[in-house]
Amino acid sequence: MKTIIAACSQNLSGSRASVRTALHTLLAARWPSQRDVRSWLQLLSVLQWVLSFLLLGTVSLLVLIYLVFTSFWPISALYLAWIIFDWDTPEKGGRRLPCLRRWTVWRHFRDYFPVKLVKTHDLSPSHNYIIGSHPHGILCVGAFCNFITGSTGFGEMFPGIRPFLTTLAGNFRLPVFREYLMSGGLCPVTRRAIGYLLSKNGTGNAVAIVIGGAAESLSCRPGVTTLILKNRKGFVRMALQHGAYLVPSFSFGENDLFRQVVFEEGSWMRSIQQRFQKMMGFAPCVFYGRGLTSVHSRGFLPYARPITTVVGEPVMVPKIEDPSCETVDMYHEMYIRSLLKLFNENKTKYGLSETDELHIL
């Protein structure tokens, strides 16, 4: 009996020693600092944004199709009825939720890169504006962060101005994703949608258009400042038809967020990309960024590179319902000159050298 009691006492003492050792090891371990926590929150905010834009629409569509073949089919039927009823809303100003712009997650998103907005001139709430956003980059991070979220202070810098950002009309046909886009203030890049904001939504509207589009994304890579703009004149015609002022903006650092495999003009891969772009509206870029666990691994997250979006001086545009080609060309040239001035005056401030030039194709 004494032997059993002694054995139990010895085991109990050993257990206590093990617990003390474990507690000591735990207390001695390095706890995450505030800086570590901020870095994780920033990384997670960018991750949710990338996954939302790449997967939310497709996954939602697949889930609704799957539900059709289950006892939950009324969910798919009701949502389909809702989309049919709500079909034209994206082209009539959308359904933006101001609270979405104030989400805390967008501040972490901003600080990951970080993204900064620079104002050079005032925008009067008594006018409407078309903001040309350059360059396209891969995912238009600068345009999204500055014109859709309130994290960089657009509302404070330009009081009375309501910013909108245009994107592919096809995105608004994807279930759930369309609601997500509209809630942030995105609208289709169509004449009808832009025309509504510039003529039937009062004044103080600023519609941002990434003019280079998918074609420009195919040439996106670090150190390259080439824009597809020379034959893009539809935005100028719309500005003239509605009397909206033209405002150039340039996001320095946008092209540094990803690495892309750029195929030469005339190659068969480039031809496939261009054909896909014409059919689907977007280009299948072959790109990579950093991984989720390490900056040294490859993945689909953007690299943490500073982005500075500079909003330039408005080009005053008269209202002409049916502008001639010569008038469109004249204001298009004025816009290009204003953009070049903006680029040249700010390039050395935000990471480029004095010898860097803006090439417009």
Short mmCIF file of all heavy atoms in Angstrom, two decimals, residues 42 45-46 104-117 141 145-146 149-153 305-307:
data_model
loop_
_atom_site.label_atom_id
_atom_site.label_comp_id
_atom_site.label_asym_id
_atom_site.label_seq_id
_atom_site.Cartn_x
_atom_site.Cartn_y
_atom_site.Cartn_z
N GLN A 42 -3.92 43.81 -41.85
CA GLN A 42 -3.75 44.39 -43.19
C GLN A 42 -3.73 43.29 -44.24
O GLN A 42 -4.36 43.42 -45.30
CB GLN A 42 -2.46 45.20 -43.23
CG GLN A 42 -2.50 46.48 -42.41
CD GLN A 42 -1.14 47.11 -42.20
OE1 GLN A 42 -0.16 46.70 -42.85
NE2 GLN A 42 -1.05 48.07 -41.31
N SER A 45 -7.23 41.88 -44.71
CA SER A 45 -8.12 42.81 -45.42
C SER A 45 -7.87 42.76 -46.92
O SER A 45 -8.81 42.81 -47.72
CB SER A 45 -7.92 44.24 -44.90
OG SER A 45 -6.63 44.74 -45.25
N VAL A 46 -6.61 42.65 -47.32
CA VAL A 46 -6.29 42.53 -48.75
C VAL A 46 -6.74 41.17 -49.28
O VAL A 46 -7.26 41.07 -50.40
CB VAL A 46 -4.78 42.73 -48.97
CG1 VAL A 46 -4.41 42.47 -50.43
CG2 VAL A 46 -4.37 44.15 -48.59
N THR A 104 -14.01 49.58 -41.16
CA THR A 104 -12.65 49.61 -40.61
C THR A 104 -11.68 48.81 -41.47
O THR A 104 -10.50 49.13 -41.57
CB THR A 104 -12.65 49.06 -39.17
OG1 THR A 104 -13.56 49.82 -38.37
CG2 THR A 104 -11.27 49.13 -38.55
N VAL A 105 -12.20 47.77 -42.11
CA VAL A 105 -11.34 46.91 -42.92
C VAL A 105 -10.64 47.69 -44.03
O VAL A 105 -9.50 47.37 -44.42
CB VAL A 105 -12.16 45.74 -43.53
CG1 VAL A 105 -13.14 46.23 -44.57
CG2 VAL A 105 -11.24 44.68 -44.14
N TRP A 106 -11.28 48.77 -44.51
CA TRP A 106 -10.66 49.53 -45.60
C TRP A 106 -9.46 50.34 -45.11
O TRP A 106 -8.55 50.63 -45.89
CB TRP A 106 -11.68 50.45 -46.26
CG TRP A 106 -12.84 49.72 -46.87
CD1 TRP A 106 -14.17 50.00 -46.72
CD2 TRP A 106 -12.78 48.56 -47.73
NE1 TRP A 106 -14.94 49.10 -47.42
CE2 TRP A 106 -14.12 48.21 -48.05
CE3 TRP A 106 -11.75 47.79 -48.25
CZ2 TRP A 106 -14.43 47.12 -48.86
CZ3 TRP A 106 -12.06 46.71 -49.05
CH2 TRP A 106 -13.37 46.39 -49.35
N ARG A 107 -9.45 50.70 -43.83
CA ARG A 107 -8.27 51.40 -43.30
C ARG A 107 -7.07 50.45 -43.25
O ARG A 107 -5.94 50.84 -43.54
CB ARG A 107 -8.57 51.97 -41.92
CG ARG A 107 -9.59 53.09 -41.93
CD ARG A 107 -9.48 53.96 -40.68
NE ARG A 107 -9.80 53.22 -39.47
CZ ARG A 107 -11.02 53.11 -38.96
NH1 ARG A 107 -12.04 53.71 -39.57
NH2 ARG A 107 -11.23 52.43 -37.85
N HIS A 108 -7.34 49.20 -42.88
CA HIS A 108 -6.25 48.21 -42.90
C HIS A 108 -5.81 47.93 -44.34
O HIS A 108 -4.62 47.75 -44.60
CB HIS A 108 -6.73 46.91 -42.24
CG HIS A 108 -7.06 47.06 -40.77
ND1 HIS A 108 -6.17 47.55 -39.85
CD2 HIS A 108 -8.20 46.78 -40.08
CE1 HIS A 108 -6.72 47.56 -38.66
NE2 HIS A 108 -7.96 47.11 -38.77
N PHE A 109 -6.78 47.90 -45.25
CA PHE A 109 -6.47 47.72 -46.67
C PHE A 109 -5.57 48.84 -47.16
O PHE A 109 -4.57 48.61 -47.85
CB PHE A 109 -7.78 47.70 -47.45
CG PHE A 109 -7.64 47.52 -48.94
CD1 PHE A 109 -7.55 46.26 -49.50
CD2 PHE A 109 -7.59 48.61 -49.79
CE1 PHE A 109 -7.42 46.09 -50.87
CE2 PHE A 109 -7.46 48.46 -51.15
CZ PHE A 109 -7.37 47.20 -51.70
N ARG A 110 -5.91 50.08 -46.82
CA ARG A 110 -5.11 51.25 -47.21
C ARG A 110 -3.69 51.17 -46.68
O ARG A 110 -2.72 51.45 -47.40
CB ARG A 110 -5.81 52.51 -46.68
CG ARG A 110 -5.01 53.80 -46.82
CD ARG A 110 -5.53 54.83 -45.84
NE ARG A 110 -5.31 54.41 -44.46
CZ ARG A 110 -5.91 54.98 -43.41
NH1 ARG A 110 -6.77 55.98 -43.59
NH2 ARG A 110 -5.64 54.56 -42.19
N ASP A 111 -3.57 50.78 -45.41
CA ASP A 111 -2.26 50.80 -44.76
C ASP A 111 -1.35 49.66 -45.21
O ASP A 111 -0.14 49.71 -44.96
CB ASP A 111 -2.44 50.74 -43.24
CG ASP A 111 -3.12 51.99 -42.69
OD1 ASP A 111 -3.08 53.02 -43.38
OD2 ASP A 111 -3.71 51.90 -41.59
N TYR A 112 -1.91 48.62 -45.82
CA TYR A 112 -1.08 47.51 -46.29
C TYR A 112 -0.07 47.98 -47.33
O TYR A 112 1.08 47.56 -47.31
CB TYR A 112 -1.97 46.42 -46.88
CG TYR A 112 -1.22 45.32 -47.60
CD1 TYR A 112 -0.68 44.25 -46.90
CD2 TYR A 112 -1.08 45.34 -49.00
CE1 TYR A 112 0.00 43.24 -47.56
CE2 TYR A 112 -0.40 44.33 -49.66
CZ TYR A 112 0.14 43.29 -48.94
OH TYR A 112 0.81 42.30 -49.61
N PHE A 113 -0.46 48.87 -48.22
CA PHE A 113 0.43 49.24 -49.34
C PHE A 113 1.49 50.28 -48.94
O PHE A 113 2.65 50.02 -49.27
CB PHE A 113 -0.43 49.74 -50.51
CG PHE A 113 -1.35 48.66 -51.03
CD1 PHE A 113 -2.67 48.59 -50.59
CD2 PHE A 113 -0.89 47.71 -51.92
CE1 PHE A 113 -3.51 47.59 -51.05
CE2 PHE A 113 -1.71 46.70 -52.38
CZ PHE A 113 -3.04 46.64 -51.94
N PRO A 114 1.21 51.46 -48.43
CA PRO A 114 -0.08 52.11 -48.20
C PRO A 114 -0.54 52.90 -49.43
O PRO A 114 0.24 53.15 -50.35
CB PRO A 114 0.24 53.06 -47.05
CG PRO A 114 1.68 53.45 -47.30
CD PRO A 114 2.34 52.24 -47.89
N VAL A 115 -1.83 53.29 -49.41
CA VAL A 115 -2.42 54.08 -50.49
C VAL A 115 -2.66 55.50 -49.98
O VAL A 115 -3.13 55.69 -48.85
CB VAL A 115 -3.76 53.48 -50.97
CG1 VAL A 115 -4.34 54.30 -52.11
CG2 VAL A 115 -3.56 52.03 -51.40
N LYS A 116 -2.35 56.47 -50.82
CA LYS A 116 -2.49 57.87 -50.44
C LYS A 116 -3.16 58.64 -51.57
O LYS A 116 -2.91 58.37 -52.75
CB LYS A 116 -1.11 58.48 -50.14
CG LYS A 116 -1.12 59.93 -49.74
CD LYS A 116 0.31 60.44 -49.52
CE LYS A 116 0.33 61.92 -49.16
NZ LYS A 116 1.73 62.42 -49.01
N LEU A 117 -4.02 59.59 -51.22
CA LEU A 117 -4.70 60.44 -52.19
C LEU A 117 -4.16 61.85 -52.07
O LEU A 117 -4.05 62.39 -50.97
CB LEU A 117 -6.21 60.43 -51.93
CG LEU A 117 -7.08 61.29 -52.87
CD1 LEU A 117 -7.03 60.75 -54.30
CD2 LEU A 117 -8.53 61.33 -52.37
N VAL A 141 -6.09 48.81 -57.85
CA VAL A 141 -6.11 49.00 -56.40
C VAL A 141 -6.27 50.47 -56.03
O VAL A 141 -7.07 50.83 -55.16
CB VAL A 141 -4.83 48.41 -55.77
CG1 VAL A 141 -4.75 48.77 -54.29
CG2 VAL A 141 -4.79 46.91 -55.95
N CYS A 145 -9.45 51.95 -53.88
CA CYS A 145 -9.23 52.44 -52.53
C CYS A 145 -9.61 53.91 -52.39
O CYS A 145 -10.19 54.33 -51.39
CB CYS A 145 -7.78 52.23 -52.13
SG CYS A 145 -7.45 52.50 -50.37
N ASN A 146 -9.33 54.71 -53.42
CA ASN A 146 -9.56 56.14 -53.33
C ASN A 146 -10.99 56.56 -53.67
O ASN A 146 -11.53 57.49 -53.07
CB ASN A 146 -8.58 56.89 -54.24
CG ASN A 146 -7.17 56.88 -53.71
OD1 ASN A 146 -6.90 57.43 -52.65
ND2 ASN A 146 -6.26 56.25 -54.44
N THR A 149 -13.71 53.37 -51.33
CA THR A 149 -13.65 53.41 -49.87
C THR A 149 -13.40 54.85 -49.43
O THR A 149 -12.90 55.68 -50.18
CB THR A 149 -12.51 52.51 -49.34
OG1 THR A 149 -11.26 53.20 -49.45
CG2 THR A 149 -12.45 51.21 -50.12
N GLY A 150 -13.74 55.13 -48.19
CA GLY A 150 -13.50 56.46 -47.64
C GLY A 150 -12.22 56.54 -46.85
O GLY A 150 -11.99 57.51 -46.13
N SER A 151 -11.36 55.53 -46.99
CA SER A 151 -10.18 55.42 -46.13
C SER A 151 -9.10 56.46 -46.42
O SER A 151 -8.30 56.77 -45.53
CB SER A 151 -9.58 54.02 -46.26
OG SER A 151 -9.16 53.76 -47.59
N THR A 152 -9.06 57.01 -47.63
CA THR A 152 -8.01 57.98 -47.96
C THR A 152 -8.50 59.42 -47.89
O THR A 152 -7.77 60.34 -48.24
CB THR A 152 -7.44 57.70 -49.36
OG1 THR A 152 -8.51 57.72 -50.32
CG2 THR A 152 -6.75 56.35 -49.42
N GLY A 153 -9.76 59.61 -47.46
CA GLY A 153 -10.25 60.97 -47.23
C GLY A 153 -10.77 61.71 -48.44
O GLY A 153 -10.72 62.94 -48.46
N ARG A 305 3.48 47.75 -51.91
CA ARG A 305 4.20 48.86 -52.53
C ARG A 305 3.34 50.12 -52.42
O ARG A 305 2.13 50.07 -52.61
CB ARG A 305 4.47 48.57 -54.02
CG ARG A 305 5.27 47.32 -54.28
CD ARG A 305 6.73 47.47 -53.88
NE ARG A 305 7.52 46.30 -54.27
CZ ARG A 305 7.73 45.23 -53.52
NH1 ARG A 305 7.19 45.19 -52.31
NH2 ARG A 305 8.46 44.21 -53.94
N PRO A 306 3.94 51.26 -52.10
CA PRO A 306 3.14 52.49 -51.93
C PRO A 306 2.47 52.93 -53.23
O PRO A 306 3.07 52.87 -54.30
CB PRO A 306 4.16 53.52 -51.44
CG PRO A 306 5.50 52.98 -51.87
CD PRO A 306 5.38 51.48 -51.84
N ILE A 307 1.22 53.35 -53.11
CA ILE A 307 0.45 53.88 -54.24
C ILE A 307 0.01 55.29 -53.88
O ILE A 307 -0.61 55.51 -52.83
CB ILE A 307 -0.79 53.02 -54.54
CG1 ILE A 307 -0.40 51.58 -54.80
CG2 ILE A 307 -1.57 53.59 -55.72
CD1 ILE A 307 -1.59 50.65 -54.93
#
